[in-house]
Amino acid sequence: MHDLAMNSTEHTLWVWALIVGLIVLVAVAALLSLLIYLVQIIDRRVVTVRDTLKAAKANTADTVLIPQVATGVDAVLAEGLQHHLFLGRVLGKVKS
Amino acid sequence: MTVLVVLTVIEIVVLIAALAFYLFWVGTLLARIAVNLEECAEIIRGIVADAALIGPGVEHINETGGVVAGALPLLYGMAEEIVTDVTPRPEQPAEPEPARPASGTRRSRLLHAVGFSPDLSRTSRAASPGHSRCTCPVGLPPS
């Protein structure tokens, strides 16, 4: 086993490397905390958007009634045509 | 030297642990956001499906309603014509009655004083004799 000897300059550089590494560690923690904060804001906004879309979905859920209304209006038109034919027959008889 | 090695190892371990912790945290948040966004996409697809019915349906209703609105005047015109034709009219008398004042007959006290009261409601029968009644006690002949 060799005994690794270090002179004074190497020792100082190692210590400075440790200090710089500690600063980098703190900076990384700060930046990741900022990232977490921003992602939490995004999460809250996405929940708000989801709730708004749910309300919009509830509002547009009744549009399935529109084809039924169109069918009803067609029935009204057919009934009106029947009335037209009936009145035409009756009018011809009354005039004769 | 041993102290430096130990400190270096501790610093590296702390850095890796911090990175792992924050990455796990961010990963959890991003997974939740992904789930919410997936739900949003599903809701939007539903809204698009609902909105797709609006255009053709409203166009159909508008077209049919226009036809109905255009046909209704024809229908009630025919109905009015039928009603006009089948309504019975009062028959006109063969001999029209004479015109009488709408205010009625005027009462005369002079005639009443002598006991004469003309019955003008039966003027149409004036041609028949004895039309007017005379209740005169002094024996005036009826007119």
Side-chain angles (χ1 to χ4, degrees), chain B residues 96-139:
Chain B
E97 293 185 359
R100 295 194 190 95
S103 58
T105 56
R106 185 179 177 187
R107 193 176 62 175
S108 173
R109 291 180 179 172
L110 293 175
L111 293 177
H112 183 70
V114 296
F116 179 73
S117 60
D119 191 2
L120 292 180
S121 63
R122 291 183 289 179
T123 307
S124 60
R125 289 179 289 166
S128 62
H131 154 66
S132 299
R133 288 186 296 116
C134 179
T135 57
C136 179
V138 294

Side-chain angles (χ1 to χ4, degrees), chain A:
Chain A
M1 183 101 188
H2 297 285
D3 188 12
L4 294 175
M6 238 181 357
N7 57 20
S8 171
T9 305
E10 290 173 345
H11 187 270
T12 304
L13 286 176
W14 197 335
V15 170
W16 273 109
L18 281 176
I19 293 171
V20 170
L22 191 62
I23 292 172
V24 168
L25 179 61
V26 173
V28 167
L31 291 175
L32 286 176
S33 297
L34 179 63
L35 178 65
I36 292 290
Y37 173 71
L38 295 175
V39 170
Q40 283 177 338
I41 290 176
I42 291 172
D43 187 25
R44 284 197 297 269
R45 300 283 168 81
V46 168
V47 170
T48 304
V49 169
R50 185 196 61 190
D51 294 341
T52 305
L53 286 175
K54 280 183 179 177
K57 180 75 169 64
N59 286 333
T60 59
D62 292 335
T63 56
V64 294
L65 296 175
I66 291 178
Q68 298 178 18
V69 173
T71 305
V73 175
D74 280 342
V76 170
L77 177 59
E79 192 67 24
L81 291 176
Q82 293 297 324
H83 279 70
H84 174 70
L85 294 175
F86 169 73
L87 290 175
R89 289 196 303 269
V90 172
L91 185 61
K93 290 179 182 176
V94 167
K95 281 189 177 297
S96 63

Side-chain angles (χ1 to χ4, degrees), chain B residues 22-46:
Chain B
Y22 279 110
L23 285 178
F24 175 75
W25 196 355
V26 171
T28 304
L29 287 174
L30 289 178
R32 197 165 66 192
I33 290 171
V35 170
N36 287 333
L37 286 176
E38 187 69 26
E39 193 174 351
C40 288
E42 187 67 27
I43 293 171
I44 287 173
R45 278 192 285 270

Side-chain angles (χ1 to χ4, degrees), chain B residues 57-95:
Chain B
V58 171
E59 191 174 349
H60 188 182
I61 291 171
N62 193 19
E63 185 178 351
T64 310
V67 173
V68 171
L72 281 178
L74 178 64
L75 286 182
Y76 68 69
M78 294 172 72
E80 281 180 353
E81 200 170 347
I82 291 171
V83 169
T84 304
D85 288 341
V86 300
T87 301
R89 295 184 181 85
E91 292 185 1
Q92 295 294 328
E95 184 180 349

